[in-house]
Amino acid sequence: MHRMKEFKTESKKLLDLMINSIYTNREIFLRELVSNASDAIDKLSFVALTDSTANITQDDLAIRISYDEDARTITVSDNGIGMTAEELEENLGTIAHSGSEAFKAEHAESQGDAMDIIGQFGVGFYSSFMVASRVRVVSRALGSNTAYAWESDGIEGYTIEPARPGERDGENDHGTDVILYLRESTDDEDVDRFLSEWGLRDLVKRYSNYVRYPIQMMVTKSVPVENPEDLPEDAPRYVDHQELETINSMTPIWKKRVSEVEQSDYDEFYKSTFHDYTDPLRTTSFHAEGALSYDALLFIPSEAPFDLYSKDYEKGLALYSSNVLIQEKCADLLPDYYNFVRGVVDSPDVTLNISRETLQQNAQLRAIAKRVERKIKSELSTMLADDREAYEKFFENFGRGIKFGIYNSYGMNASELADLLLFYSAKEDKMVTLREYVQAMPEGQDKILYAAGDSRDRLKKMPAVTSALARGYDVLLCTQDVDEFMIQAMRTYHMDAVAGDSENAGTDARDIELANVSTADLDLATEEEKSAAEQATKDHETLFEAMSESLGDKVGSVRVSANLTDAPACIATEGPISLEMERVMMQGPDANMAPKATRILELNADHPVFQKLVAAQQAGDVDKLAMYASLLYDQALLVEGLPVDDPVEFAKNVCALM
Ligand code: ADP
Ligand code: MG
């Protein structure tokens, strides 16, 4: 009888820590065992390269998974390099001793970059005790005639004995079987689900789908019976039949170069991996080798997922390390404003903390994230330049997130994102970029003009917009709730110098202010028009005081506009809050605390209505003047798309007038 050997004290502590706290997710045990099996086959292949006596058939190399519901066991087998009794002792008796790490170091000179072994910490194996109360490892080293068995309950210690008859005693039967005796299911943890074909298949598909060796399992298939015409009518037409199936797809598509992959394969991969029904709008893959090496494959979806703008939406890229899934959605790899991007990053260099499970916010990850971000930006810029139609579709779906990105960072991301924005141009009747807007500005225009409201049609008719257009200035019509908040956060558009030999080449970089056409201090008017308006305001000082008084605290003041062309009056605002911002905030949760815009009633002195006002005042008809003031104010609000304060009063005034 072989004596049980105790785990070393520090090992015991670590083991306890491992099983109970490092891994948060029990189901990763299979990933760890499969990864070890894959490493063992890698080592065998490596040794076979240099040792011609090891006679290996590459095609036979495989990992096999089986289960026995009655015995409550799961077995993971490989025909890799195997372990001697000493190696069993060294690798499995000492926790945090990685034989793989040692193997890699030992062969560092001859291997070059060729060996892509997954293991490195020497703890993964013990994750099996999260689901098993006992683990038996039967292993036979390459070239040895005897198999040994290591067995442990994962608490006190382990035994190592020669294996039983029937256990790896065939000819050339090198490799390892890891047999897990599963714990009973508890209320907290359903272990039984692993004792099934679908349960195991699901884990392989999710975590080990791209392991490079076939992972095989006996599966039950329903097959049509042969010669059904010879059978009695009521005999079953299908019978169950057992068959060995490879359940992983092996080649990770992200490791391939674009030239080796058909777009349709990318599309299939995208749809099946990210559960989308439509093909991606853009696909991009990139690779790095050297100090930090990784492969990345990114997709921009065609449609926004239904929950994109909800709290439940989780951004992130799938993070793999040497083809094994580490995290399904690694949020650190994507900035919030590109949260719609899906894809995979695979890097053997991502340093993981103790186990693959706990990933540190580390320098490598940050470096990759930076590269990912730049890549997305350049992909979007390319799409904007080469495929405007697709870009407009993209922007319709995901533009809102980009706008939030500028707003949430108080404009700090503006330099990164401003050139990705599209706005609706009132003059061109289509979407334009800020750069296009600036390049089309007529001589003398020094601000980017926009109007914000809830509908384009209404904005187009707004007096401030029509008069800006009449002066030859384009106006960007903003109808999304975030628009004006974003613009306020960015304040200016930084236009990079124009390079190349286009007609605008040579233009220096500059910052151009964005201004709401409805703000009172906006001076579209010429100096003459402005001084004329000032003069007219002075001339009618008493009229305006009377009107302002009758309107009470609805307005800050009343004056003559230098901008209006057709309309009799409009509402302008003074200060940082515009009418549109006020409207958006009134719909928000803190409506009653929302700050109000300071409104100015501006009148068109050339409009016939103005003469009526003057006449009423000269006649000393205070009531009539008050009614006119109220009417003009209300109709100006309506034109802006805002509700009148008192609709009953408005209706009464209209009737009185008729
Ligand atoms: P790691 O894989 O990070 O090295 P593990 O705890 O998963 O750590 O495994 C410890 C060591 O046990 C491995 O480094 C390897 O040397 C050995 N080992 C585990 N499983 C196998 C196997 N199936 N075949 C051969 N060696 C194995
Ligand atoms: Mg391992």
Side-chain angles (χ1 to χ4, degrees):
M1 188 62 212
H2 289 252
R3 225 164 42 85
M4 186 178 83
K5 301 190 183 176
E6 279 192 37
F7 287 121
K8 299 203 179 77
T9 325
E10 45 308 1
S11 293
K12 266 191 202 169
K13 278 191 207 134
L14 192 56
L15 189 58
D16 186 59
L17 192 72
M18 275 276 318
I19 300 171
N20 297 309
S21 42
I22 292 181
Y23 288 110
T24 50
N25 186 1
R26 281 165 201 267
E27 65 189 23
I28 57 89
F29 75 93
L30 193 69
R31 168 187 81 184
E32 295 300 329
L33 297 181
V34 165
S35 297
N36 285 350
S38 165
D39 283 350
I41 300 176
D42 267 344
K43 291 174 201 166
L44 177 74
S45 312
F46 181 77
V47 168
L49 285 180
T50 48
D51 178 359
S52 54
T53 59
N55 103 52
I56 308 296
T57 318
Q58 284 290 336
D59 287 351
D60 294 342
L61 298 175
I63 299 163
R64 215 165 268 189
I65 301 178
S66 61
Y67 66 99
D68 180 333
E69 246 176 305
D70 300 325
R72 294 186 65 77
T73 57
I74 292 175
T75 303
V76 179
S77 302
D78 64 72
N79 48 9
I81 196 160
M83 284 177 273
T84 61
E86 291 72 38
E87 283 166 337
L88 278 170
E89 166 93 50
E90 206 169 52
N91 296 334
L92 306 185
T94 324
I95 299 168
H97 170 89
S98 171
S100 292
E101 186 66 18
F103 185 92
K104 233 168 143 175
E106 202 176 306
H107 298 278
E109 300 225 319
S110 50
Q111 78 182 57
D113 274 343
M115 203 165 17
D116 191 8
I117 276 176
I118 305 162
Q120 53 179 319
F121 305 109
V123 292
F125 167 77
Y126 298 96
S127 65
S128 39
F129 289 106
M130 292 192 300
V131 294
S133 52
R134 188 154 61 94
V135 178
R136 180 174 175 84
V137 180
V138 176
S139 195
R140 177 162 149 195
L142 177 72
S144 159
N145 289 323
T146 331
Y148 288 88
W150 176 100
E151 203 168 312
S152 171
D153 61 0
I155 300 170
E156 289 302 323
Y158 56 91
T159 55
I160 296 174
E161 302 174 356
R164 297 170 196 139
E167 283 182 327
R168 291 216 166 258
D169 54 6
E171 196 191 329
N172 208 12
D173 206 359
H174 55 84
T176 304
D177 306 307
V178 178
I179 305 150
L180 309 182
Y181 294 85
L182 292 205
R183 299 172 187 280
E184 295 294 329
S185 283
T186 62
D187 289 347
D188 297 338
E189 185 64 33
D190 173 19
V191 181
D192 288 7
R193 72 192 155 111
F194 305 132
L195 278 176
S196 68
E197 192 179 307
W198 68 262
L200 292 169
R201 180 194 288 270
D202 173 53
L203 294 189
V204 170
K205 273 282 179 201
R206 257 190 304 143
Y207 293 102
S208 311
N209 199 25
Y210 304 103
V211 163
R212 66 179 118 182
Y213 300 104
I215 302 172
Q216 301 170 331
M217 195 159 84
M218 281 305 260
V219 298
T220 310
K221 291 221 161 132
S222 187
V223 290
V225 292
E226 276 170 45
N227 308 327
E229 58 283 356
D230 301 342
L231 293 173
E233 192 111 327
D234 56 349
R237 261 38 189 170
Y238 285 86
V239 286
D240 279 354
H241 137 106
Q242 296 273 308
E243 164 181 327
L244 197 63
E245 190 185 304
T246 296
I247 39 189
N248 58 330
S249 60
M250 293 185 272
T251 12
I253 195 166
W254 58 82
K255 293 239 163 127
K256 298 188 182 169
R257 306 295 130 153
V258 191
S259 56
E260 303 170 292
V261 185
E262 297 286 334
Q263 182 59 41
S264 60
D265 294 332
Y266 280 136
D267 292 348
E268 276 321 306
F269 173 78
Y270 168 79
K271 287 187 283 192
S272 60
T273 312
F274 302 108
H275 312 290
D276 198 348
Y277 300 107
T278 36
D279 290 340
L281 191 60
R282 298 288 280 209
T283 306
T284 175
S285 83
F286 52 102
H287 314 271
E289 269 153 39
L292 178 61
S293 57
Y294 55 84
D295 301 280
L297 176 59
L298 307 180
F299 298 98
I300 296 169
S302 297
E303 308 288 343
F306 71 95
D307 60 348
L308 182 64
Y309 294 112
S310 84
K311 279 202 283 303
D312 299 334
Y313 182 79
E314 256 185 277
K315 64 160 185 169
L317 299 177
L319 178 63
Y320 285 75
S321 186
S322 304
N323 302 349
V324 178
L325 180 67
I326 306 303
Q327 221 177 56
E328 226 153 351
K329 285 191 176 168
C330 180
D332 294 336
L333 285 169
L334 282 180
D336 283 342
Y337 43 86
Y338 293 148
N339 66 352
F340 50 85
V341 175
R342 307 292 201 117
V344 172
V345 166
D346 188 346
S347 172
D349 295 332
V350 172
T351 322
L352 306 163
N353 185 15
I354 308 183
S355 78
R356 267 169 275 294
E357 184 85 338
T358 38
L359 185 67
Q360 277 179 323
Q361 224 318 350
N362 59 46
Q364 291 101 314
L365 206 62
R366 271 198 301 275
I368 299 176
K370 218 173 196 167
R371 184 71 208 291
V372 164
E373 172 167 356
R374 261 189 290 145
K375 194 71 191 176
I376 298 171
K377 166 87 184 282
S378 85
E379 190 64 24
L380 292 174
S381 306
T382 309
M383 178 162 46
L384 178 60
D386 299 351
D387 191 350
R388 186 65 172 239
E389 202 181 320
Y391 189 82
E392 286 184 16
K393 181 175 174 200
F394 155 78
F395 197 77
E396 210 175 296
N397 279 320
F398 303 111
R400 197 155 175 262
I402 294 184
K403 292 173 183 177
F404 268 111
I406 296 179
Y407 170 61
N408 287 338
S409 69
Y410 306 103
M412 299 221 297
N413 294 327
S415 55
E416 172 74 18
L417 301 174
D419 281 314
L420 296 177
L421 297 172
L422 288 182
F423 293 92
Y424 186 80
S425 148
K427 194 172 175 180
E428 308 278 336
D429 214 6
K430 64 175 195 200
M431 302 302 280
V432 297
T433 62
L434 289 174
R435 174 179 281 268
E436 287 161 353
Y437 179 97
V438 171
Q439 288 177 342
M441 285 191 325
E443 191 84 21
Q445 183 182 354
D446 60 353
K447 288 183 179 126
I448 298 172
L449 302 178
Y450 70 90
D454 60 1
S455 107
R456 264 179 214 163
D457 282 343
R458 188 144 44 202
L459 286 174
K460 268 188 208 161
K461 292 181 195 140
M462 251 171 58
V465 174
T466 51
S467 37
L469 289 170
R471 289 172 195 280
Y473 301 153
D474 194 0
V475 181
L476 302 173
L477 306 183
C478 302
T479 51
Q480 246 175 3
D481 52 5
V482 58
D483 283 342
E484 198 166 16
F485 293 90
M486 168 193 75
I487 291 172
Q488 296 264 339
M490 63 192 276
R491 289 195 306 277
T492 57
Y493 165 58
H494 176 81
M495 187 162 94
D496 288 333
V498 183
D501 43 26
S502 70
E503 70 179 283
N504 293 297
T507 316
D508 284 334
R510 57 185 175 132
D511 290 313
I512 305 130
E513 194 186 322
L514 290 132
N516 188 322
V517 274
S518 304
T519 44
D521 54 6
L522 183 69
D523 48 0
L524 297 181
T526 60
E527 288 307 317
E528 284 145 55
E529 286 167 323
K530 271 188 279 184
S531 58
E534 261 167 52
Q535 190 56 48
T537 305
K538 240 183 236 144
D539 292 348
H540 299 282
E541 209 175 329
T542 46
L543 168 66
F544 295 151
E545 269 169 20
M547 289 177 76
S548 179
E549 198 164 305
S550 77
L551 288 169
D553 55 12
K554 289 178 184 168
V555 297
S557 62
V558 180
R559 67 180 173 219
V560 171
S561 163
N563 289 320
L564 285 178
T565 46
D566 301 329
C570 71
I571 307 279
T573 56
E574 248 171 9
I577 313 290
S578 75
L579 291 173
E580 171 62 6
M581 292 172 82
E582 177 184 310
R583 190 181 69 81
V584 172
M585 288 187 286
M586 289 301 285
Q587 290 165 351
D590 300 316
N592 44 12
M593 278 158 56
K596 289 254 188 267
T598 307
R599 300 160 188 223
I600 311 291
L601 178 61
E602 288 199 339
L603 302 173
N604 181 350
D606 297 330
H607 199 280
V609 158
F610 191 75
Q611 296 316 316
K612 295 258 185 178
L613 291 170
V614 174
Q617 197 228 0
Q618 277 165 358
D621 194 338
V622 180
D623 291 345
K624 194 172 202 174
L625 187 63
M627 183 183 82
Y628 282 168
S630 171
L631 260 174
L632 276 176
Y633 174 75
D634 283 347
Q635 66 90 26
L637 281 179
L638 287 172
V639 170
E640 297 279 347
L642 292 161
V644 297
D645 299 340
D646 186 347
V648 177
E649 170 82 9
F650 178 67
K652 224 167 67 193
N653 284 339
V654 171
C655 290
L657 202 66
M658 290 168 78

